[in-house]
Amino acid sequence: MINPRHPKSIIALADWLVDRGYGLVSLRNQVVMAAGFSTWLRQKGIELSDVSEEYAERYLLDRAQRPKRGDGTALRHLLAFLRSQNAIAEEIKAEYNPSPIEQHVLAYERYLQDARALSRQTIINYRPVARDFLNFRFSDGEVSLAQLRAVDVTDFVQRKVPRLNMRSAKIITTGLRSFLSYARFRGDITSDLAAAVPIVANWSLSSIPRAIGRDEVTRLLASIDRDTPIGCRDYAMILALARLGLRSSEVVSLELGDIDWVAGQIRVRGKNGQRNDLPLPADVGEAIADYLRKARPRNADRRVFLRDKAPIRGFKGPSGLGCVVRRSLKRAGIDAPTTGAHQFRHGLASEMLSGGASLGEIGEVLGHRHLQTTAIYAKVDLDALRTLALPWPGEAQ
């Protein structure tokens, strides 16, 4: 066990924590917590081989001092270290008995993943829709998909959709159609109930993309302190958004092998697993190289951009980059159209359009598979659109 009188055990734990990116202050607190837990186990006569999560919880309650934030996490890290050293057995988890509704949701999730090969984010969007619909129809817990009728579908949508914005309403109806198609695929229902899902009015190209302006991008980038490790990373990430028009998911998923420094190209993992090779602008390349040389923690993770808090690893998803953008905009005092990362993508497209680029060229840069997706940017050129406007009836000639 970890013992202050046995330096080797402390060093082993410290090395394990350092490899995972924990700083000196956090490392010290976790080692102190481990030593205290070790002393408590000896006082209680508990053998190392018997240590479990239960004893860690009891230790926090038995201590004279009140638990502080991070104490529980420190003990979980200690147990993980001991398991990695085969000093204690893996925790045996209680058998999971999902409810009938949850069994259907899990089966649907496997179908989306294995048979449809949908992205993780799409599955995350659709899964709660199926769960809510089944709870709505089979609240007593007994599930029989064969009993589903069109009225169940319309009643569910009419109850859910009025309280939602357009985007959320579209997710509900699209996810419900997907689940009902899955039920028909399984043979649980024979009629096409997906056709009974009401259509949410969503006029094509009804909105104008909210794009951040070039001046605001320049101010934002200038406000980032590139002399700090975090600032060096944030600058490179936001510059990639602005200059390449990448999605936030494409930035956080970049790997070291995706950059061809000799050819000056970058490989991007887009939607539906498609990969695009794009020219790497010199300033973006310099910013990434600067981060890799000076600021990126030494780590085995192949992601280019890593979190700044332990455990050090790549961002779990695009929301991490969204937080970086929001924090940077607030610090710079910029009143941007939105607080998300997509506004940089819209900004690049708008700038290309005003510079004379065609919709096809814009779509190629943005990685759009269909021209219809890019067509919305035609509405951004308001000056050109004004020349097409008919005079108001009765206006003086």
Side-chain angles (χ1 to χ4, degrees), residues 175-198:
L176 184 56
R177 290 191 192 97
S178 170
F179 177 74
L180 294 171
S181 297
Y182 153 77
R184 192 181 185 192
F185 168 80
R186 277 174 42 112
D188 293 315
I189 58 177
T190 56
S191 58
D192 184 13
L193 289 184
V197 178

Side-chain angles (χ1 to χ4, degrees), residues 11 23 42 45 102 108 114 188 194 253 375 380 390:
I11 293 173
R42 286 197 303 274
E102 202 61 31
Y108 171 58
D114 300 337
D188 293 315
S253 65
V380 174
L390 295 175

Side-chain angles (χ1 to χ4, degrees), residues 79-274:
L79 296 181
F81 164 73
L82 293 173
R83 292 189 190 105
S84 72
Q85 305 297 308
N86 295 319
I88 63 175
E90 291 289 337
E91 197 81 14
I92 300 176
K93 297 183 178 180
E95 185 178 353
Y96 175 51
N97 292 313
S99 66
I101 286 178
E102 202 61 31
Q103 290 177 24
H104 280 278
V105 173
L106 291 172
Y108 171 58
E109 182 176 355
R110 287 193 294 270
Y111 162 79
L112 294 178
Q113 181 174 328
D114 300 337
R116 297 291 309 283
L118 297 184
S119 69
R120 191 64 193 159
Q121 187 58 52
T122 300
I123 295 174
I124 290 173
N125 286 339
Y126 286 2
R127 185 174 53 199
V129 177
R131 184 181 292 112
D132 288 350
F133 176 63
L134 291 176
N135 278 314
F136 170 80
R137 177 58 181 81
F138 304 104
S139 56
D140 57 0
E142 295 297 326
V143 180
S144 175
L145 298 183
Q147 297 178 12
L148 292 175
R149 299 292 181 267
V151 66
D152 301 321
V153 175
T154 55
D155 285 352
F156 173 74
V157 174
Q158 288 172 357
R159 176 171 297 189
K160 293 284 290 186
V161 165
R163 302 191 301 269
L164 304 175
N165 58 35
M166 182 64 69
R167 180 178 180 277
S168 298
K170 291 287 289 184
I171 290 175
I172 291 289
T173 55
T174 305
L176 184 56
R177 290 191 192 97
S178 170
F179 177 74
L180 294 171
S181 297
Y182 153 77
R184 192 181 185 192
F185 168 80
R186 277 174 42 112
D188 293 315
I189 58 177
T190 56
S191 58
D192 184 13
L193 289 184
V197 178
I199 296 175
V200 177
N202 185 22
W203 305 112
S204 178
L205 311 182
S206 61
S207 60
I208 295 177
R210 293 185 287 178
I212 188 171
R214 180 192 297 182
D215 293 341
E216 284 75 18
V217 172
T218 302
R219 279 179 51 204
L220 177 62
L221 291 171
S223 71
I224 300 175
D225 184 2
R226 299 172 63 186
D227 292 330
T228 67
I230 295 177
C232 192
R233 181 204 64 189
D234 293 353
Y235 179 86
M237 296 174 77
I238 293 176
L239 187 64
L241 290 173
R243 294 281 282 114
L244 291 169
L246 300 181
R247 302 176 180 90
S248 54
S249 59
E250 294 169 344
V251 173
V252 299
S253 65
L254 280 176
E255 296 187 355
L256 297 173
D258 293 332
I259 303 176
D260 187 337
W261 297 103
V262 176
Q265 287 186 331
I266 186 169
R267 173 158 291 184
V268 175
R269 294 172 176 81
K271 283 187 174 181
N272 302 316
Q274 67 184 44

